[in-house]
Amino acid sequence: MAGHEHHHHHFSLCLCDLMRLLWSLVVPCAYLSLLLTLLLLLLLMGVRMWLQGRRRARRAQDGGPAVAFFHPYCNAGGGGERVLWCSLRALMNRYPGVSFVVYTGDQGVTGEQILEGARQRFNITLPRPISFIFLRHRVLVEATSYPHFTLLGQSAGSMFLGWEALTAFVPDLYVDSMGYAFTLPIFRYLGGCKVASYVHYPTVSTDMLSVVRERNPRFNNADFISRNPLLSAVKVVYYCCFALLYGLAGSCSDVIMVNSTWTLGHILALWRSPSRTSVVYPPCDVRAFLDVPLEEEDEDDMEEGWEELGQELGSGEEKDGRGGDRKCHSIVSVGQFRPEKDHRLQIRAFHKLLDRKEGGLGGRESLRLVLIGGCRNQEDEERVLLLRGLCDELGVSDRVSFKLNVPFEELKRELVDATVGLHTMWNEHFGIGVVECMAAGTIVLAHKSGGPKLDIVVPYEGGQTGFLADSEDSYAAAMETILSLSPSARLEIRRNARRSVERFSDQEFEFCFLAATESLMTRLE
């Protein structure tokens, strides 16, 4: 018994000695932490003063303020790039004394080639020259660089890419026009810049969380994760932590513009800055399609109008004498070849439509599917090869065409000739391609979610403007319904759709964009 008490007493003394030792280390550790914090603050202040000195030197040389847009893929040719060029055009026309810069990660091209690509693809010409800063480390923001924890990796990579951009050129106003929110605090706190952001799509959203919670396989939720409850739980925690960091980064923005009602809801929930947030619908080139005749007073005028348009655009469209109805119906999809655009759904739904039409009037020979889109890199090109393989597998290759990186006039010609404009992206943030189809007089069949459902394919003055679907069967059924409508019924829908998209014009965008950024632009000295 005495031995046991002695052992217990000895253990207590050892424990007390250990506690005293740990306590004696607390004060040195606290001092060390304080010292390191002060050194870090001094370093950050030094970096900020160095960058601000570079900005003052640049302003003294240029004689005026500068606005820089962060858009690493400015030569990609998608809807986000159209926002970039229209934003630049609007600001350049309004503020002639301001110079403009674009940070881009495109390599192997010159600034002149990028601007020429914008002219060919979007029919946009800037009123005066701009400067390009070519970033060398765009690979840091590419998804292929991060097989796991992709969101975190890309966001951290964007901070390094943003640092490269900031050290290359220090602007007075920084605009993130591509959704890299983690660059905002770098430019605001280190560069001392005013910052603005145009958000096309939240990097993380409550919809993404619900996909993981419900263990649904999607392009951003691999099958092996959706099948494993433990991995799904870990991913939910990861997304929640990331959403917190994303919200903190985004809230650094002085002005926040979002492209749709759907995006607005998510950004308000994550960034929590309602007083600085507004909806600015992206610019859609609706004016370029207004010369497409939807109706004429009599049949002779209609045939003459279509003949003139066909000569102008090189269109070989045929009509069968039923008020301009087409013998061959083309179904056109416009969108970059990214996984979220879900071109596989389009091909499979088209295959089901062909099965439904087999043996009917005209049969499969009366239908064709045209997939138009931009390829940003080799990964996109490989994706197109896989889609071609799917067409071979389903036996529809003879009725499906791929048109990559086409110029604007060819895009316009295809939309003019189309009967159906197809869109299949789940929770598309907006859908510029959908608007372009409606402006061209094409009947839209879009995904029943996101921007198309909330902002675009909505009734106009009580009239129908298009169709919505969300599965292979519903898409095939909707396409069959559209094709079975009479020419007059299709004309009524096309007419409603065209009138409804006037609110998405370049002019409306420029007005709203300038109104949103005016408070920042007027404060530039």
Side-chain angles (χ1 to χ4, degrees):
M1 186 69 178
H4 177 73
E5 290 179 355
H6 176 74
H7 177 74
H8 179 73
H9 179 68
H10 179 70
F11 177 77
S12 299
L13 289 175
C14 290
L15 184 60
C16 290
D17 290 340
L18 179 61
M19 293 299 294
R20 279 194 293 270
L21 175 63
L22 293 176
W23 179 251
S24 66
L25 293 176
V26 167
V27 175
C29 287
Y31 281 123
L32 180 61
S33 300
L34 181 60
L35 178 62
L36 291 175
T37 302
L38 289 174
L39 289 175
L40 179 60
L41 288 175
L42 289 173
L43 176 63
L44 293 177
M45 289 177 61
V47 169
R48 180 183 170 97
M49 292 176 63
W50 171 63
L51 291 171
Q52 289 183 332
R54 295 190 60 180
R55 183 174 64 192
R56 285 192 295 270
R58 188 263 307 159
R59 286 197 61 164
Q61 180 180 352
D62 296 346
V67 176
F69 283 75
F70 188 77
H71 209 102
Y73 294 90
C74 74
N75 202 35
E81 287 66 60
R82 188 170 222 292
V83 168
L84 169 68
W85 303 122
C86 284
S87 303
L88 282 165
R89 182 176 61 185
L91 291 173
M92 292 173 90
N93 285 327
R94 173 67 70 87
Y95 304 99
V98 177
S99 60
F100 294 88
V101 170
V102 174
Y103 300 115
T104 179
D106 294 300
Q107 299 292 326
V109 292
T110 64
E112 291 76 14
Q113 290 172 326
I114 292 174
L115 293 174
E116 177 61 19
R119 188 193 66 79
Q120 291 184 359
R121 173 63 181 86
F122 303 117
N123 198 27
I124 294 175
T125 302
L126 299 182
R128 63 179 190 271
I130 64 171
S131 300
F132 289 91
I133 303 296
F134 291 92
L135 307 176
R136 296 173 298 163
H137 300 99
R138 190 176 70 180
V139 66
L140 294 173
V141 298
E142 294 182 357
T144 53
S145 301
Y146 310 98
H148 306 291
F149 298 100
T150 307
L151 290 180
L152 186 61
Q154 286 182 289
S155 298
S158 72
M159 296 177 72
F160 286 102
L161 194 64
W163 172 251
E164 180 187 350
L166 180 59
T167 53
F169 183 89
V170 186
D172 298 278
L173 171 61
Y174 168 78
V175 183
D176 167 36
S177 55
M178 207 173 170
Y180 292 106
F182 286 87
T183 63
L184 298 172
I186 292 176
F187 277 82
R188 177 168 183 171
Y189 296 117
L190 290 183
C193 311
K194 300 295 182 183
V195 294
S197 54
Y198 188 95
V199 184
H200 299 273
Y201 197 87
T203 304
V204 65
S205 67
T206 54
D207 294 317
M208 294 167 65
L209 285 169
S210 66
V211 165
V212 180
R213 284 196 185 102
E214 296 166 10
R215 297 168 61 190
N216 291 330
R218 290 267 183 179
F219 72 91
N220 60 347
N221 195 38
D223 289 343
F224 77 92
I225 292 179
S226 63
R227 289 194 298 262
N228 189 310
L230 178 60
L231 291 179
S232 294
V234 171
K235 191 168 184 178
V236 167
V237 174
Y238 161 57
Y239 271 4
C240 288
C241 294
F242 182 83
L244 177 62
L245 295 175
Y246 177 64
L248 291 173
S251 64
C252 295
S253 188
D254 296 299
V255 168
I256 304 164
M257 294 166 280
V258 298
N259 68 341
S260 69
T261 303
W262 182 86
T263 307
L264 175 67
H266 288 287
I267 290 301
L268 289 179
L270 292 167
W271 293 15
R272 301 182 182 278
S273 304
S275 62
R276 289 174 276 151
T277 307
S278 58
V279 176
V280 179
Y281 289 126
C284 307
D285 195 9
V286 296
R287 174 178 291 184
F289 298 102
L290 294 181
D291 59 348
V292 179
L294 294 186
E295 57 181 328
E296 298 289 344
E297 293 299 323
D298 57 61
E299 188 173 347
D300 292 337
D301 288 343
M302 179 181 292
E303 292 177 357
E304 182 180 351
W306 277 109
E307 182 180 356
E308 290 176 356
L309 183 67
Q311 291 174 355
E312 177 188 348
L313 300 178
S315 171
E317 181 177 0
E318 298 182 47
K319 298 164 284 296
D320 63 4
R322 293 180 297 163
D325 197 25
R326 302 167 176 83
K327 286 181 180 178
C328 181
H329 295 281
S330 66
I331 300 163
V332 173
S333 162
V334 180
Q336 288 181 322
F337 287 99
R338 304 202 307 261
E340 61 268 27
K341 295 297 183 181
D342 208 350
H343 289 90
R344 296 178 64 86
L345 173 57
Q346 297 177 5
I347 295 170
R348 293 185 182 279
F350 181 69
H351 172 247
K352 290 194 173 185
L353 174 65
L354 292 181
D355 286 346
R356 290 170 181 252
K357 295 283 288 183
E358 199 71 47
L361 183 62
R364 64 183 285 133
E365 298 304 317
S366 67
L367 300 174
R368 70 185 183 113
L369 174 64
V370 183
L371 304 179
I372 302 174
C375 283
R376 301 164 299 173
N377 47 40
Q378 184 178 355
E379 184 181 357
D380 287 353
E381 293 171 359
E382 291 173 355
R383 190 170 295 111
V384 171
L385 291 177
L386 292 176
L387 292 173
R388 291 184 187 273
L390 177 61
C391 292
D392 291 334
E393 178 186 333
L394 297 177
V396 297
S397 295
D398 60 322
R399 307 312 305 160
V400 179
S401 302
F402 290 82
K403 303 207 171 192
L404 313 180
N405 303 316
V406 301
F408 177 77
E409 285 303 319
E410 186 174 353
L411 167 67
K412 181 177 178 181
R413 181 168 63 248
E414 289 292 346
L415 289 180
V416 167
D417 291 344
T419 302
V420 180
L422 192 59
H423 164 277
T424 49
M425 179 176 170
W426 172 72
N427 271 343
E428 169 79 88
H429 41 91
F430 180 72
I432 288 180
V434 176
V435 174
E436 289 178 340
C437 288
M438 295 168 74
T442 303
I443 295 183
V444 160
L445 171 56
H447 199 282
K448 194 176 182 179
S449 63
K453 177 184 177 182
L454 297 175
D455 292 313
I456 304 174
V457 190
V458 296
Y460 178 76
E461 295 181 354
Q464 185 177 3
T465 58
F467 293 79
L468 298 170
D470 56 8
S471 65
E472 291 178 20
D473 290 328
S474 61
Y475 269 100
M479 285 188 281
E480 189 175 31
T481 298
I482 295 170
L483 296 173
S484 65
L485 291 174
S486 66
S488 60
R490 285 204 294 267
L491 177 61
E492 182 64 26
I493 296 174
R494 293 162 62 205
R495 203 182 291 155
N496 292 334
R498 171 172 283 187
R499 288 199 297 261
S500 73
V501 298
E502 292 177 358
R503 58 206 169 102
F504 305 128
S505 65
D506 286 3
Q507 294 72 29
E508 283 294 319
F509 168 80
E510 291 184 4
F511 175 81
C512 295
F513 184 86
L514 290 173
T517 56
E518 184 177 13
S519 61
L520 292 182
M521 294 299 297
T522 54
R523 283 152 58 186
L524 296 183
E525 298 177 0

